[in-house]
Amino acid sequence: MKNNKDEEVRRRSMLAPALAGFIAGSALQLQQRELGGAWVYALMLAAALAGGISMRRTSTNSPWRGLLALVTCAVLAFSVCGLRSGAFQANALDPALQGRDIAITGVIAAMPQRSEEGVRFRFAVESARLGNTEVTLPPLIYLGWYTGFGDSGADTSRQPADLRAGERWQMTARLKSPHGASNPHGFDYELWMWEQGLQASGYVRAGPKDAQPVRIGQTWQHLVEHARQTVRDAIFARVADRKSAGIIAALVTGDQGAIERSDWDIFRATGVAHLMSISGLHITMFAWVAAALVGWLWRRSDLFGQSLCLRLPAHSAGLIGGVLLATAYAVFSGWGVPSQRTVWMLATAALLRLGGRRWPWPLVWLLTCAVVVAVDPWALMQAGFWLSFVAVAVLFAADPGGLDARDDAPRTGLTHRMRTALHEQWVVTIALTPLSLLLFGQVSVVGLLANALAIPIVTLLVTPLAMLGAVWAPLWDAAGWVLQCLGIYLQWLATWPFAAISM
């Protein structure tokens, strides 16, 4: 028994450097100015496999085994990330096709984003022609259909069509490769396009001298996106206040573009921007509620007169059901990068619990980081990745559960829960302040006061009402009323002198 326990300890000691090496290797690849050849990464991959074989043959007591695991996994991650990047880049837009009128046929792959200038949408290309010649385009492009924009001959009286996700269209477009502004610390548009799998952008030619876009018909593709668009339109049709409707649409369907720019300014100044669209917090809270509900139903269900708990424990059923329902919520909300990251984290933690693993928190933290990086290496370039993982690490390290260990305060009841919540929020606020200044050049001074009220209201009241409104629409009115009240409080905080500090 002791030998088995010692072997388990040795394996854990090997796992930490291996996971750290994998994360570091991916991060190092993302810092390269240009990609190497496929043969370079193939050789590195072979070297990593050879290192893995050597590691298995190395004595478990060898002091070099941990270093070998770190280097091996770093080389593995570096090569895999490079190969994936090269494969993606191989589908880039041919420079000879930039700025040319190309007739394309395809399907609208996501619900369009409408604004005053027109409408932008993702288009899955099926075929393309330059004159009478078939050409190859990237499989997914980002198009804009503007009113009187893009060429001097456009008819300003023409409005973009009411596009629906899943529709097949034939249209003429001008494309260009993704390019971002060179302004330091600004939004990296090219990185965002890469993350979204978009390899070209452009606009629809809909002037009087151009062939008019033709709607071929509705398809069975992208049914989830079609449902998201239907729900979003229903929210705006139901809720009279457009500001509240935009926030509700963002919480239910993940459409951040529905929130007005002036509202975003208030949310950033008060430090609550992370609450007003689908984030890791919403997915986690939904998973927790779903797991509790599934577990409760599982304990009270019978199948042919036999309790389901005899087939699978209620706790395990709750974990599985919570992760699956949270995944469904993430998919319906657009399957954005923050949602994906949270789902992989939840799935990893659930598998550890189901397997009876009781690992120390640093090892669990490293494992979830490595899983997210393995699925999406480019998450390392996103501020949200660092904010979320640093916040989780700080909460683990601070151990708010031990807050009352030094006194005789009761550990149950409303008072304890409120103290714990305030302590957690205080710890996270202080810990993330330097990181926020580094990443955004701005930090909210009133963020603690704003989040103390906004977090419970948005997560426990507004979000459930917004989601249940898809079943009974009047609940959207209730959610809108609550948001208007919260908006008054946030706007008041935003008017304080030095509500936010910019550096």
Side-chain angles (χ1 to χ4, degrees), residues 228 231-232 234-236 238-256 258-260 263 267 275-278 329 332-333 458 461-470 473-484:
R228 290 179 63 216
V231 171
R232 183 191 64 180
I235 291 172
F236 277 98
R238 174 77 194 191
V239 181
D241 182 57
R242 288 196 62 82
K243 291 188 175 183
S244 299
I247 298 174
I248 294 172
L251 291 173
V252 177
T253 68
D255 182 12
Q256 297 187 32
I259 301 179
E260 298 183 5
D263 287 332
F267 298 154
L275 293 173
M276 300 306 172
S277 59
I278 300 299
Y329 178 35
F332 185 79
S333 64
V458 174
L461 191 59
V462 175
T463 302
L465 287 174
M467 295 178 62
L468 291 173
L475 292 177
W476 284 332
D477 297 325
W481 180 82
V482 175
L483 283 171
Q484 291 181 48

Side-chain angles (χ1 to χ4, degrees), residues 4 7 23 48 96 138 180 192 198 230 295 298 338 371 388 417 422 461 495:
N4 292 338
E7 182 64 23
I23 297 170
W192 178 82
L198 303 166
T230 301
W298 199 264
V371 169
S388 59
R417 292 175 183 174
L422 287 174
L461 191 59
T495 59

Side-chain angles (χ1 to χ4, degrees), residues 184-206:
H185 310 295
F187 177 69
D188 195 335
Y189 180 73
E190 191 170 349
L191 174 62
W192 178 82
M193 292 276 286
W194 181 287
E195 273 261 334
Q196 302 297 318
L198 303 166
Q199 294 177 279
S201 62
Y203 63 93
V204 177
R205 301 279 292 180

Side-chain angles (χ1 to χ4, degrees), residues 29 32-38 41 81-87 89 194:
Q29 173 60 263
Q32 304 306 303
R33 294 179 61 89
E34 58 184 16
L35 290 172
Y41 297 128
C81 184
L83 288 172
R84 290 178 61 181
S85 300
Q89 200 173 51
W194 181 287

Side-chain angles (χ1 to χ4, degrees), residues 76-430:
L76 173 66
F78 188 93
S79 58
V80 170
C81 184
L83 288 172
R84 290 178 61 181
S85 300
F88 180 78
Q89 200 173 51
N91 292 322
L93 178 68
D94 185 350
L97 298 178
Q98 294 195 92
R100 308 288 297 275
D101 288 349
I102 304 174
I104 56 177
T105 301
V107 177
I108 298 174
M111 63 176 183
Q113 307 291 320
R114 187 170 289 274
S115 64
E116 295 179 357
E117 294 81 13
V119 61
R120 294 194 66 85
F121 57 96
R122 304 183 188 198
F123 197 69
V125 178
E126 295 178 338
S127 62
R129 297 183 67 87
L130 178 61
N132 296 323
T133 305
E134 291 278 351
V135 294
T136 301
L137 296 181
L140 190 64
I141 60 178
Y142 195 42
L143 293 178
W145 189 342
Y146 303 109
T147 301
F149 178 79
D151 86 81
S152 58
D155 185 353
T156 57
S157 66
R158 299 188 179 187
Q159 295 291 329
D162 182 21
L163 305 177
R164 311 293 298 180
E167 289 181 341
R168 179 174 284 110
W169 280 77
Q170 185 177 39
M171 56 185 66
T172 303
R174 282 189 181 178
L175 304 177
K176 64 178 180 179
S177 299
H179 297 289
S182 297
N183 298 335
H185 310 295
F187 177 69
D188 195 335
Y189 180 73
E190 191 170 349
L191 174 62
W192 178 82
M193 292 276 286
W194 181 287
E195 273 261 334
Q196 302 297 318
L198 303 166
Q199 294 177 279
S201 62
Y203 63 93
V204 177
R205 301 279 292 180
K209 299 180 180 179
D210 301 311
Q212 287 302 297
V214 177
R215 179 185 182 275
I216 299 175
Q218 182 72 42
T219 71
W220 288 98
Q221 302 179 47
H222 309 292
L223 291 179
V224 173
E225 290 294 328
H226 184 79
R228 290 179 63 216
Q229 186 174 359
T230 301
V231 171
R232 183 191 64 180
D233 294 346
I235 291 172
F236 277 98
R238 174 77 194 191
V239 181
D241 182 57
R242 288 196 62 82
K243 291 188 175 183
S244 299
I247 298 174
I248 294 172
L251 291 173
V252 177
T253 68
D255 182 12
Q256 297 187 32
I259 301 179
E260 298 183 5
R261 185 179 298 273
S262 59
D263 287 332
W264 277 123
D265 293 337
I266 294 176
F267 298 154
R268 293 190 184 99
T270 54
V272 300
H274 64 288
L275 293 173
M276 300 306 172
S277 59
I278 300 299
S279 65
L281 177 62
H282 296 100
I283 302 295
T284 303
M285 286 295 297
F286 182 85
W288 180 78
V289 173
L293 179 60
V294 170
W296 183 84
L297 292 173
W298 199 264
R299 293 184 186 93
R300 287 157 180 79
S301 60
D302 292 330
L303 183 64
F304 304 114
Q306 186 179 26
S307 174
L308 292 178
C309 291
L310 298 177
R311 298 174 178 267
L312 183 67
H315 177 71
S316 299
L319 277 176
I320 297 172
V323 172
L324 291 178
L325 290 174
T327 302
Y329 178 35
V331 170
F332 185 79
S333 64
W335 196 237
V337 174
S339 299
Q340 295 178 38
R341 185 168 60 235
T342 305
V343 167
W344 302 131
M345 292 170 61
L346 290 173
T348 302
L351 287 174
L352 288 174
R353 295 290 298 273
L354 291 172
R357 306 294 183 183
R358 294 295 183 268
W359 290 356
W361 75 261
L363 195 56
V364 177
W365 184 82
L366 271 176
L367 178 61
T368 53
C369 282
V371 169
V372 171
V373 171
V375 175
D376 180 18
W378 303 280
L380 288 166
M381 304 293 288
Q382 300 294 328
F385 175 89
W386 298 103
L387 290 172
S388 59
F389 275 105
V390 169
V392 171
V394 167
L395 286 175
F396 272 129
D399 189 20
L403 181 64
D404 297 327
R406 297 178 297 274
D407 53 42
D408 297 328
R411 298 193 180 190
T412 59
L414 181 61
T415 302
H416 170 74
R417 292 175 183 174
M418 290 181 63
R419 292 183 63 190
T420 301
L422 287 174
H423 181 266
E424 291 178 352
Q425 186 59 43
W426 170 255
V427 168
V428 170
T429 299
I430 296 300

Side-chain angles (χ1 to χ4, degrees), residues 1-12:
M1 181 67 70
K2 184 178 179 180
N3 291 337
N4 292 338
K5 187 174 182 180
D6 292 342
E7 182 64 23
E8 179 67 20
V9 172
R10 292 193 189 98
R11 288 179 180 176
R12 289 184 184 178

